[in-house]
Amino acid sequence: MICVLTGGTGGAKFVDGLRQVMAAEDITLIVNTGDDLLWWGLYVSPDIDSITYVLSGMLSRERGWGVKGDTFFCLQAMGQLGEPTWFHTGDRDLAVHLLRSRLLAEGKTLSEATSVISAKLGVKAHILPMSDSRVETRVDTPIGELSFEQYFVQRWYQDPVNSVRFAGASDAEPASGVIDAILTADAVVLAPSNPVTSIGPILAVPGIREAMLKAQGKIVAVSPIVGGAPVAGPAGILMEAQGLPCSIAGVAQAYEDFLDFLIVDTRDSEAAEQLRKNGPRVQCTQTVMRTADDKAALARTVLSLVCGGLYSSEPTAGATSDLP
Ligand code: GDP
Protein backbone atom coordinates (compact mmCIF):
# COMPACT_ATOMS: atom_id res chain seq x y z
CA MET A 1 0.00 0.00 0.00
CA ILE A 2 1.31 3.40 -1.01
CA CYS A 3 -0.20 6.58 0.38
CA VAL A 4 0.23 9.75 -1.69
CA LEU A 5 -0.40 13.32 -0.49
CA THR A 6 -1.17 15.43 -3.52
CA GLY A 7 -2.47 18.54 -5.24
CA GLY A 8 -3.84 18.57 -8.77
CA THR A 9 -1.12 19.40 -11.33
CA GLY A 10 2.41 18.15 -10.54
CA GLY A 11 0.63 15.67 -8.27
CA ALA A 12 -1.63 14.44 -11.07
CA LYS A 13 1.36 13.95 -13.39
CA PHE A 14 3.08 11.89 -10.73
CA VAL A 15 -0.07 9.82 -10.09
CA ASP A 16 -0.29 9.23 -13.86
CA GLY A 17 3.15 7.57 -13.58
CA LEU A 18 2.29 5.62 -10.46
CA ARG A 19 -0.80 4.08 -12.05
CA GLN A 20 1.40 2.76 -14.88
CA VAL A 21 3.75 0.88 -12.57
CA MET A 22 1.62 -0.47 -9.72
CA ALA A 23 -1.88 -1.78 -9.06
CA ALA A 24 -4.33 1.10 -8.60
CA GLU A 25 -6.04 -0.81 -5.76
CA ASP A 26 -2.83 -0.40 -3.73
CA ILE A 27 -2.77 3.39 -3.94
CA THR A 28 -4.51 5.68 -1.45
CA LEU A 29 -4.51 9.37 -2.31
CA ILE A 30 -5.00 12.07 0.26
CA VAL A 31 -6.01 15.09 -1.74
CA ASN A 32 -5.90 18.81 -0.99
CA THR A 33 -9.33 20.44 -0.74
CA GLY A 34 -8.11 23.93 0.21
CA ASP A 35 -8.76 25.09 -3.39
CA ASP A 36 -12.43 23.97 -3.37
CA LEU A 37 -14.92 26.61 -4.42
CA LEU A 38 -18.59 27.21 -5.06
CA TRP A 39 -18.90 28.01 -8.75
CA TRP A 40 -22.29 28.89 -10.24
CA GLY A 41 -23.73 27.39 -7.05
CA LEU A 42 -21.92 24.06 -7.59
CA TYR A 43 -19.30 22.52 -5.31
CA VAL A 44 -16.07 22.19 -7.30
CA SER A 45 -13.05 20.38 -5.88
CA PRO A 46 -10.32 21.04 -8.46
CA ASP A 47 -7.63 18.73 -7.05
CA ILE A 48 -10.01 15.83 -6.38
CA ASP A 49 -11.32 16.25 -9.93
CA SER A 50 -7.84 16.20 -11.50
CA ILE A 51 -6.82 13.12 -9.50
CA THR A 52 -10.11 11.36 -10.36
CA TYR A 53 -9.74 12.22 -14.04
CA VAL A 54 -6.12 11.11 -14.25
CA LEU A 55 -6.93 7.78 -12.62
CA SER A 56 -9.92 7.19 -14.90
CA GLY A 57 -7.92 8.13 -18.00
CA MET A 58 -10.17 11.16 -18.61
CA LEU A 59 -7.75 14.00 -17.77
CA SER A 60 -6.86 16.40 -20.55
CA ARG A 61 -3.07 16.06 -20.50
CA GLU A 62 -2.86 18.97 -22.93
CA ARG A 63 -4.47 21.42 -20.51
CA GLY A 64 -3.45 19.61 -17.33
CA TRP A 65 -7.00 20.02 -15.93
CA GLY A 66 -10.53 19.08 -16.92
CA VAL A 67 -11.74 16.31 -19.18
CA LYS A 68 -10.00 15.55 -22.47
CA GLY A 69 -12.01 16.46 -25.56
CA ASP A 70 -14.52 18.39 -23.43
CA THR A 71 -16.72 21.12 -24.91
CA PHE A 72 -17.49 24.49 -23.30
CA PHE A 73 -21.06 25.26 -24.41
CA CYS A 74 -22.33 25.88 -20.90
CA LEU A 75 -19.45 28.27 -20.16
CA GLN A 76 -20.31 30.20 -23.31
CA ALA A 77 -24.02 30.31 -22.42
CA MET A 78 -23.27 31.47 -18.86
CA GLY A 79 -21.12 34.27 -20.33
CA GLN A 80 -24.05 35.31 -22.52
CA LEU A 81 -26.20 35.43 -19.38
CA GLY A 82 -23.68 37.78 -17.78
CA GLU A 83 -22.32 35.23 -15.28
CA PRO A 84 -18.60 35.09 -14.43
CA THR A 85 -16.52 32.85 -16.71
CA TRP A 86 -12.98 33.18 -15.34
CA PHE A 87 -13.03 29.67 -13.91
CA HIS A 88 -13.29 27.33 -16.88
CA THR A 89 -15.44 24.25 -16.52
CA GLY A 90 -16.13 22.04 -19.51
CA ASP A 91 -19.51 20.42 -20.09
CA ARG A 92 -18.49 16.89 -18.99
CA ASP A 93 -16.60 18.34 -16.06
CA LEU A 94 -19.82 20.14 -15.07
CA ALA A 95 -21.65 16.81 -14.92
CA VAL A 96 -19.28 15.77 -12.13
CA HIS A 97 -19.82 19.05 -10.27
CA LEU A 98 -23.61 18.65 -10.62
CA LEU A 99 -23.53 15.11 -9.27
CA ARG A 100 -21.20 16.02 -6.39
CA SER A 101 -23.34 19.02 -5.46
CA ARG A 102 -26.50 16.88 -5.46
CA LEU A 103 -24.86 14.22 -3.28
CA LEU A 104 -23.68 16.88 -0.81
CA ALA A 105 -27.14 18.50 -0.78
CA GLU A 106 -28.61 15.07 0.06
CA GLY A 107 -26.37 14.98 3.14
CA LYS A 108 -23.44 12.88 1.91
CA THR A 109 -19.96 13.88 3.06
CA LEU A 110 -17.31 14.96 0.56
CA SER A 111 -15.57 11.58 1.10
CA GLU A 112 -18.80 9.72 0.30
CA ALA A 113 -19.48 11.87 -2.76
CA THR A 114 -15.88 11.34 -3.92
CA SER A 115 -16.11 7.58 -3.63
CA VAL A 116 -19.48 7.47 -5.44
CA ILE A 117 -18.06 9.52 -8.32
CA SER A 118 -14.77 7.66 -8.54
CA ALA A 119 -16.56 4.28 -8.53
CA LYS A 120 -18.87 5.45 -11.35
CA LEU A 121 -15.79 6.51 -13.35
CA GLY A 122 -14.09 3.15 -12.81
CA VAL A 123 -11.33 4.36 -10.49
CA LYS A 124 -9.82 1.54 -8.44
CA ALA A 125 -7.47 3.64 -6.28
CA HIS A 126 -8.80 5.10 -3.03
CA ILE A 127 -9.27 8.87 -3.28
CA LEU A 128 -9.74 10.58 0.08
CA PRO A 129 -10.27 14.30 0.57
CA MET A 130 -7.94 15.50 3.35
CA SER A 131 -11.02 16.46 5.38
CA ASP A 132 -14.80 16.52 5.12
CA SER A 133 -14.81 19.91 6.84
CA ARG A 134 -14.32 23.07 4.83
CA VAL A 135 -10.71 24.29 4.93
CA GLU A 136 -10.09 27.26 2.67
CA THR A 137 -6.69 28.43 1.48
CA ARG A 138 -6.65 32.24 1.70
CA VAL A 139 -3.93 34.31 0.06
CA ASP A 140 -3.30 37.74 1.57
CA THR A 141 -2.31 40.34 -1.06
CA PRO A 142 -2.14 44.15 -1.16
CA ILE A 143 -5.68 44.20 -2.66
CA GLY A 144 -7.03 42.05 0.18
CA GLU A 145 -7.49 38.38 0.94
CA LEU A 146 -8.24 36.15 -2.04
CA SER A 147 -9.33 32.54 -2.30
CA PHE A 148 -6.69 30.36 -3.94
CA GLU A 149 -8.65 30.16 -7.21
CA GLN A 150 -9.14 33.95 -7.29
CA TYR A 151 -5.41 34.42 -6.76
CA PHE A 152 -4.32 31.66 -9.15
CA VAL A 153 -6.91 31.45 -11.93
CA GLN A 154 -8.77 34.78 -11.92
CA ARG A 155 -5.75 37.02 -11.30
CA TRP A 156 -3.01 34.83 -12.85
CA TYR A 157 -0.96 34.93 -9.61
CA GLN A 158 0.24 38.45 -10.44
CA ASP A 159 -0.42 39.94 -6.98
CA PRO A 160 2.40 40.13 -4.46
CA VAL A 161 1.71 37.73 -1.58
CA ASN A 162 1.96 38.78 2.05
CA SER A 163 0.98 35.45 3.59
CA VAL A 164 -1.16 32.34 3.22
CA ARG A 165 -3.55 30.88 5.77
CA PHE A 166 -5.88 27.90 5.88
CA ALA A 167 -9.22 29.14 7.17
CA GLY A 168 -11.11 26.52 9.16
CA ALA A 169 -8.12 24.18 9.49
CA SER A 170 -7.86 24.30 13.26
CA ASP A 171 -11.44 23.02 13.65
CA ALA A 172 -11.18 20.45 10.85
CA GLU A 173 -10.80 16.71 11.26
CA PRO A 174 -9.04 14.38 8.87
CA ALA A 175 -11.54 12.53 6.65
CA SER A 176 -12.23 8.94 7.58
CA GLY A 177 -9.35 6.67 6.54
CA VAL A 178 -6.76 9.43 6.21
CA ILE A 179 -4.82 8.82 9.41
CA ASP A 180 -4.97 5.06 9.01
CA ALA A 181 -3.69 5.29 5.42
CA ILE A 182 -0.67 7.34 6.55
CA LEU A 183 0.11 5.15 9.56
CA THR A 184 -0.13 1.79 7.81
CA ALA A 185 1.17 2.47 4.28
CA ASP A 186 4.38 0.75 3.16
CA ALA A 187 5.46 4.23 2.10
CA VAL A 188 4.05 7.73 2.13
CA VAL A 189 4.86 9.88 -0.90
CA LEU A 190 4.52 13.66 -1.06
CA ALA A 191 3.89 14.29 -4.75
CA PRO A 192 5.75 17.12 -6.53
CA SER A 193 2.95 19.47 -5.51
CA ASN A 194 3.05 23.00 -4.19
CA PRO A 195 4.42 22.67 -0.62
CA VAL A 196 2.45 25.73 0.56
CA THR A 197 -0.97 25.56 -1.09
CA SER A 198 -1.32 21.85 -1.94
CA ILE A 199 0.57 19.90 0.73
CA GLY A 200 0.36 22.77 3.27
CA PRO A 201 -3.44 22.56 3.73
CA ILE A 202 -3.27 18.77 4.15
CA LEU A 203 -0.61 19.05 6.87
CA ALA A 204 -2.61 21.85 8.53
CA VAL A 205 -5.51 19.50 9.33
CA PRO A 206 -5.00 18.58 13.00
CA GLY A 207 -3.61 15.06 13.39
CA ILE A 208 -2.14 14.65 9.90
CA ARG A 209 1.36 16.00 10.62
CA GLU A 210 1.42 13.94 13.82
CA ALA A 211 0.48 10.84 11.82
CA MET A 212 3.38 11.54 9.43
CA LEU A 213 5.73 11.44 12.42
CA LYS A 214 4.34 8.04 13.46
CA ALA A 215 4.04 6.48 9.97
CA GLN A 216 5.43 2.95 9.85
CA GLY A 217 6.60 3.31 6.22
CA LYS A 218 9.27 5.60 4.87
CA ILE A 219 8.29 9.11 3.82
CA VAL A 220 9.58 10.47 0.53
CA ALA A 221 8.92 13.79 -1.20
CA VAL A 222 9.49 14.64 -4.85
CA SER A 223 10.58 18.25 -5.25
CA PRO A 224 8.32 20.50 -7.36
CA ILE A 225 11.24 22.94 -7.44
CA VAL A 226 13.71 22.19 -10.22
CA GLY A 227 16.85 24.26 -10.81
CA GLY A 228 15.78 26.81 -8.19
CA ALA A 229 12.33 27.47 -9.70
CA PRO A 230 8.96 25.75 -9.85
CA VAL A 231 8.32 23.77 -13.04
CA ALA A 232 5.16 25.90 -13.34
CA GLY A 233 2.95 28.09 -11.18
CA PRO A 234 3.40 30.22 -8.07
CA ALA A 235 5.13 27.78 -5.69
CA GLY A 236 8.27 29.95 -5.50
CA ILE A 237 6.39 33.15 -4.60
CA LEU A 238 4.24 31.33 -2.06
CA MET A 239 7.20 29.53 -0.47
CA GLU A 240 9.05 32.82 -0.05
CA ALA A 241 5.93 34.42 1.46
CA GLN A 242 5.96 31.61 4.03
CA GLY A 243 9.66 32.10 4.83
CA LEU A 244 10.91 29.15 2.78
CA PRO A 245 13.60 29.59 0.12
CA CYS A 246 12.51 28.61 -3.40
CA SER A 247 14.96 25.72 -3.64
CA ILE A 248 15.21 22.03 -2.82
CA ALA A 249 16.41 23.16 0.63
CA GLY A 250 13.11 25.03 1.03
CA VAL A 251 11.16 21.90 0.12
CA ALA A 252 13.21 19.86 2.61
CA GLN A 253 12.57 22.53 5.26
CA ALA A 254 8.79 22.41 4.69
CA TYR A 255 8.81 18.69 5.53
CA GLU A 256 11.87 18.50 7.79
CA ASP A 257 10.16 16.99 10.84
CA PHE A 258 9.14 13.77 9.11
CA LEU A 259 10.98 13.43 5.79
CA ASP A 260 13.19 10.37 5.15
CA PHE A 261 14.06 10.91 1.48
CA LEU A 262 13.91 13.80 -0.94
CA ILE A 263 13.96 13.19 -4.67
CA VAL A 264 15.30 16.12 -6.66
CA ASP A 265 16.18 16.77 -10.26
CA THR A 266 19.68 16.08 -11.63
CA ARG A 267 19.85 19.82 -12.33
CA ASP A 268 19.96 20.31 -8.55
CA SER A 269 22.81 17.88 -7.91
CA GLU A 270 25.10 20.58 -6.48
CA ALA A 271 22.42 21.83 -4.12
CA ALA A 272 21.73 18.18 -3.25
CA GLU A 273 25.36 17.75 -2.13
CA GLN A 274 24.89 20.65 0.29
CA LEU A 275 21.57 19.35 1.55
CA ARG A 276 22.96 15.87 2.26
CA LYS A 277 25.32 17.33 4.84
CA ASN A 278 22.56 17.80 7.41
CA GLY A 279 19.24 17.05 5.79
CA PRO A 280 17.32 13.99 4.64
CA ARG A 281 18.74 11.48 2.20
CA VAL A 282 18.63 12.97 -1.25
CA GLN A 283 18.39 11.20 -4.58
CA CYS A 284 18.90 12.93 -7.92
CA THR A 285 17.05 11.76 -10.97
CA GLN A 286 15.11 13.24 -13.84
CA THR A 287 11.94 14.65 -12.28
CA VAL A 288 10.49 16.75 -15.10
CA MET A 289 7.61 14.70 -16.48
CA ARG A 290 6.90 15.39 -20.13
CA THR A 291 6.03 11.95 -21.43
CA ALA A 292 4.31 8.84 -20.12
CA ASP A 293 7.76 7.20 -19.89
CA ASP A 294 9.13 10.10 -17.79
CA LYS A 295 6.19 9.69 -15.40
CA ALA A 296 6.59 5.93 -15.13
CA ALA A 297 10.37 6.21 -14.61
CA LEU A 298 9.94 8.70 -11.77
CA ALA A 299 7.27 6.55 -10.13
CA ARG A 300 9.59 3.51 -10.36
CA THR A 301 12.47 5.43 -8.81
CA VAL A 302 10.26 6.51 -5.91
CA LEU A 303 8.91 3.02 -5.32
CA SER A 304 12.28 1.28 -5.45
CA LEU A 305 13.68 3.83 -3.02
CA VAL A 306 11.01 3.52 -0.38
CA CYS A 307 9.78 -0.02 -0.81
CA GLY A 308 13.13 -1.70 -1.50
CA GLY A 309 12.56 -5.42 -1.94
CA LEU A 310 8.78 -5.02 -1.84
CA TYR A 311 9.00 -3.39 -5.23
CA SER A 312 11.34 -4.62 -7.94
CA SER A 313 12.03 -2.77 -11.14
CA GLU A 314 14.74 -2.05 -13.63
CA PRO A 315 17.01 0.71 -12.35
CA THR A 316 16.14 4.11 -13.78
CA ALA A 317 18.77 5.40 -16.18
CA GLY A 318 20.64 8.40 -14.88
CA ALA A 319 19.59 8.03 -11.25
CA THR A 320 22.33 8.86 -8.77
CA SER A 321 22.04 8.57 -5.07
CA ASP A 322 23.81 8.91 -1.75
CA LEU A 323 22.30 5.59 -0.76
CA PRO A 324 24.31 2.42 -0.43
P1 GDP B 1 -2.13 22.53 -8.01
O1 GDP B 1 -3.14 21.85 -7.16
O2 GDP B 1 -2.64 22.88 -9.38
O3 GDP B 1 -1.41 23.66 -7.34
O4 GDP B 1 -1.07 21.40 -8.36
P2 GDP B 1 0.13 20.73 -7.56
O5 GDP B 1 0.37 21.42 -6.27
O6 GDP B 1 -0.08 19.25 -7.55
O7 GDP B 1 1.30 20.99 -8.58
C1 GDP B 1 1.94 22.24 -8.72
C2 GDP B 1 3.43 22.03 -8.67
O8 GDP B 1 3.78 20.99 -9.59
C3 GDP B 1 4.23 23.22 -9.10
O9 GDP B 1 4.91 23.74 -7.98
C4 GDP B 1 5.21 22.69 -10.15
O10 GDP B 1 6.52 23.14 -9.93
C5 GDP B 1 5.10 21.20 -9.97
N1 GDP B 1 5.29 20.44 -11.21
C6 GDP B 1 4.54 20.51 -12.32
N2 GDP B 1 5.03 19.65 -13.26
C7 GDP B 1 6.12 19.05 -12.71
C8 GDP B 1 7.05 18.09 -13.19
O11 GDP B 1 6.98 17.60 -14.32
N3 GDP B 1 8.06 17.72 -12.32
C9 GDP B 1 8.16 18.26 -11.06
N4 GDP B 1 9.18 17.85 -10.29
N5 GDP B 1 7.29 19.17 -10.59
C10 GDP B 1 6.28 19.55 -11.40
Side-chain angles (χ1 to χ4, degrees):
M1 260 293 179
I2 298 292
C3 175
V4 183
L5 275 56
T6 183
T9 308
K13 284 160 88 180
F14 177 74
V15 171
D16 206 5
L18 211 49
R19 76 184 186 114
Q20 292 182 60
V21 304
M22 66 179 285
E25 293 83 349
D26 294 339
I27 310 173
T28 299
L29 301 120
I30 300 174
V31 185
N32 170 43
T33 58
D35 306 355
D36 291 10
L37 72 162
L38 273 184
W39 182 249
W40 301 336
L42 302 176
Y43 190 97
V44 180
S45 191
D47 291 357
I48 289 187
D49 290 334
S50 292
I51 294 299
T52 307
Y53 295 154
V54 81
L55 286 164
S56 61
M58 290 164 69
L59 185 77
S60 163
R61 294 200 179 87
E62 220 169 54
R63 278 186 262 115
W65 54 268
V67 177
K68 65 181 169 197
D70 212 349
T71 52
F72 290 84
F73 294 113
C74 186
L75 184 78
Q76 207 182 342
M78 286 299 261
Q80 283 160 356
L81 290 169
E83 292 300 304
T85 54
W86 57 262
F87 187 79
H88 288 187
T89 48
D91 298 320
R92 289 188 195 134
D93 197 15
L94 266 174
V96 168
H97 309 325
L98 282 165
L99 175 56
R100 177 189 294 118
S101 302
R102 195 199 81 204
L103 293 168
L104 294 174
E106 286 171 2
K108 295 235 175 346
T109 62
L110 183 59
S111 307
E112 289 164 346
T114 302
S115 72
V116 167
I117 293 166
S118 62
K120 283 177 190 276
L121 296 178
V123 173
K124 301 276 188 304
H126 313 277
I127 305 176
L128 307 177
M130 64 192 200
S131 176
D132 284 326
S133 327
R134 191 72 193 92
V135 176
E136 207 188 338
T137 299
R138 307 285 301 170
V139 183
D140 187 39
T141 74
I143 62 152
E145 218 180 36
L146 303 172
S147 72
F148 181 74
E149 296 302 342
Q150 285 171 320
Y151 164 74
F152 182 58
V153 181
Q154 186 179 19
R155 298 183 58 83
W156 293 75
Y157 52 99
Q158 297 302 307
D159 301 282
V161 175
N162 300 324
S163 60
V164 176
R165 71 181 181 102
F166 309 115
S170 53
D171 298 325
E173 281 180 13
S176 164
V178 163
I179 297 295
D180 204 43
I182 294 171
L183 292 177
T184 60
D186 294 309
V188 181
V189 184
L190 289 94
S193 288
N194 188 320
V196 178
T197 52
S198 290
I199 306 296
I202 304 178
L203 297 175
V205 176
I208 295 190
R209 201 176 258 276
E210 293 72 10
M212 298 292 276
L213 290 164
K214 293 192 207 138
Q216 69 173 38
K218 294 288 182 208
I219 301 187
V220 58
V222 182
S223 175
I225 303 297
V226 172
V231 175
I237 302 162
L238 294 165
M239 287 173 76
E240 278 164 8
Q242 296 297 84
L244 299 166
C246 173
S247 62
I248 60 164
V251 178
Q253 200 182 322
Y255 308 140
E256 67 188 345
D257 42 344
F258 53 71
L259 196 62
D260 294 307
F261 301 105
L262 181 64
I263 297 192
V264 304
D265 198 81
T266 38
R267 268 176 263 178
D268 291 295
S269 48
E270 262 178 46
E273 273 304 320
Q274 284 301 316
L275 199 56
R276 278 179 194 129
K277 292 187 180 143
N278 45 15
R281 293 178 161 204
V282 184
Q283 172 145 342
C284 295
T285 191
Q286 196 202 295
T287 68
V288 177
M289 298 168 278
R290 291 195 189 88
T291 64
D293 285 350
D294 293 344
K295 292 171 188 168
L298 182 58
R300 268 191 216 105
T301 302
V302 170
L303 291 182
S304 359
L305 185 63
V306 284
C307 297
L310 285 175
Y311 180 81
S312 64
S313 76
E314 295 298 310
T316 308
T320 58
S321 164
D322 65 338
L323 306 175

